Amino acid sequence: MDSVLSHRAAQILGDAHRVVVFTGAGISAESGVPTFRDDLTGLWARFDAEQLATPEAFHADPDLVWGWYEWRRARVRRAEPNPGHLAITTIATQAPDSTVITQNVDDLHERAGTQAAIHLHGSLFAPRCVAAAHPATFPNPPDGEVAELPEGRRIPPPRCASCAALVRPGVVWFGEALPEAALTAAVQAAADCDVLLTVGTSGVVHPAAEIPRIAARAGAAVIQVNPEPTPLDPVATINLRGTAAQVLPALVTAAWETTDGN
Ligand code: BJW
């Protein structure tokens, strides 16, 4: 990674008062959670994630879609936050005013100690019924069963305890509206920040992909961390090419060393 760029990025971050961290699937990749646009593996390789994450897919084949989400939930349960998640928690304690906005449906920011992350695309752990959005609970399987959940297994979704409708994952599928309060808070934070750090997102899914663009238009510095080029490259003030677990701990250490030492 270019040391001049990373030094400049650390200075910008350390000097900022209002920091937004905007994350996508790449932040969890080094915890072993596949990114959304990675090719699916094993038995799931026959399917395209973009085609499974739709209301139409659930309607057509609820067992297939519920089975995919159960498999993903199991993988997330077995995963641990990585140094990238932990560095973001440090940002939240160092910057006077910070907001973490994630597109991820896992709980790794929370398990890394970040409180009140804004989840734009919902959660793997908040299922609800399709008829009336009644929250559904389901027992957490013991660890052994989680480890052994086979890929490609079709699993019938449970029925709602209140109205007997099918239970669906509490996530935002293509064509569905994002949770209004979360989107409003995210747009506000982006419009008001000094620095937005965008980490591990392809930046192709809207309206979430507008968040870094809103910050840039409002005059904030945008620092992007991603090993690959993305459509956000021209939006970013600084592009740091590398993985989240490599780049973020060093960036955070340098940011507050730079500020403290001047
Ligand atoms: C690393 C790394 C490492 C790897 N370290 N980095 C405007 C233009 C065009 C289309 C639209 C538009 N506005 C709306 C649309 C339609 C659509 C859309 O955006 N389509 C595009 C794909 C073309 N949007 C919608 O349908 C949205 N709804 C909507 O607009 O509703 C309108 C409405 C209003 C009112 C009433 C009703 C309707 C909803 C979008 C919902 C997205 N949902 C998903 C699934 C969630 C559940 C689930 O997970 O199953 O969210 S799709 C999927 O993409 C998921 C993700 O959160 C999201 C973003 O993906 P992300 O996080 O960027 O992951 P990847 O895999 O794409 O990228 C990973 C990146 O990490 C890569 O860049 C790697 O290089 C990098 N990486 N390892 C750092 N170690």
Side-chain angles (χ1 to χ4, degrees):
M1 196 180 35
D2 185 317
S3 65
V4 175
L5 283 186
S6 50
H7 182 72
R8 181 76 194 118
Q11 269 183 333
I12 292 173
L13 186 60
D15 288 343
H17 283 266
R18 288 165 302 182
V19 177
V20 168
V21 184
F22 175 64
T23 66
I27 184 72
S28 298
E30 286 153 291
S31 294
V33 180
T35 68
F36 199 80
R37 285 171 182 77
D38 277 343
D39 287 339
L40 297 180
T41 56
L43 293 171
W44 290 118
R46 289 172 291 144
F47 303 101
D48 174 357
E50 289 218 6
Q51 278 159 13
L52 291 172
T54 68
E56 292 78 17
F58 185 73
H59 183 70
D61 195 341
D63 298 11
L64 176 72
V65 173
W66 185 260
W68 183 53
Y69 278 93
E70 282 288 295
W71 174 74
R72 290 176 58 200
R73 212 170 3 245
R75 286 200 68 150
V76 168
R77 280 204 186 99
R78 287 161 54 201
E80 295 293 336
N82 67 56
H85 295 103
L86 296 170
I88 290 172
T89 301
T90 304
I91 293 174
T93 57
Q94 292 281 1
D97 182 353
S98 65
T99 306
V100 175
I101 304 168
T102 187
Q103 299 165 83
N104 297 346
V105 295
D106 66 43
D107 60 352
L108 294 177
H109 282 305
E110 286 77 9
R111 285 201 266 140
T114 294
Q115 285 166 12
I118 296 173
H119 281 263
L120 290 178
H121 292 159
S123 164
L124 285 173
F125 302 101
R128 63 175 191 270
C129 80
V130 293
H134 293 129
T137 53
F138 50 94
N140 282 345
D143 283 350
E145 272 181 45
V146 168
E148 284 162 22
L149 191 64
E151 265 186 63
R153 193 167 105 188
R154 302 161 73 91
I155 301 174
R159 294 274 172 184
C160 176
S162 306
C163 68
L166 284 183
V167 169
R168 58 159 284 176
V171 301
V172 182
W173 283 327
F174 286 112
E176 295 184 324
L178 276 60
E180 198 179 329
L183 184 59
T184 302
V187 167
Q188 190 70 55
D192 288 346
C193 70
D194 305 316
V195 176
L196 183 140
L197 187 58
T198 174
V199 182
T201 178
S202 55
V204 297
V205 175
H206 295 266
E210 294 302 322
I211 296 294
R213 294 175 168 92
I214 289 168
R217 280 199 297 273
V222 174
I223 301 168
Q224 176 170 233
V225 177
N226 198 309
E228 304 292 337
T230 80
L232 293 171
D233 284 13
V235 177
T237 320
I238 297 179
N239 282 293
L240 301 176
R241 291 270 180 262
T243 74
Q246 288 166 350
V247 172
L248 289 178
L251 179 66
V252 166
T253 302
W256 279 281
E257 269 174 8
T258 308
T259 315
D260 294 345
N262 272 329

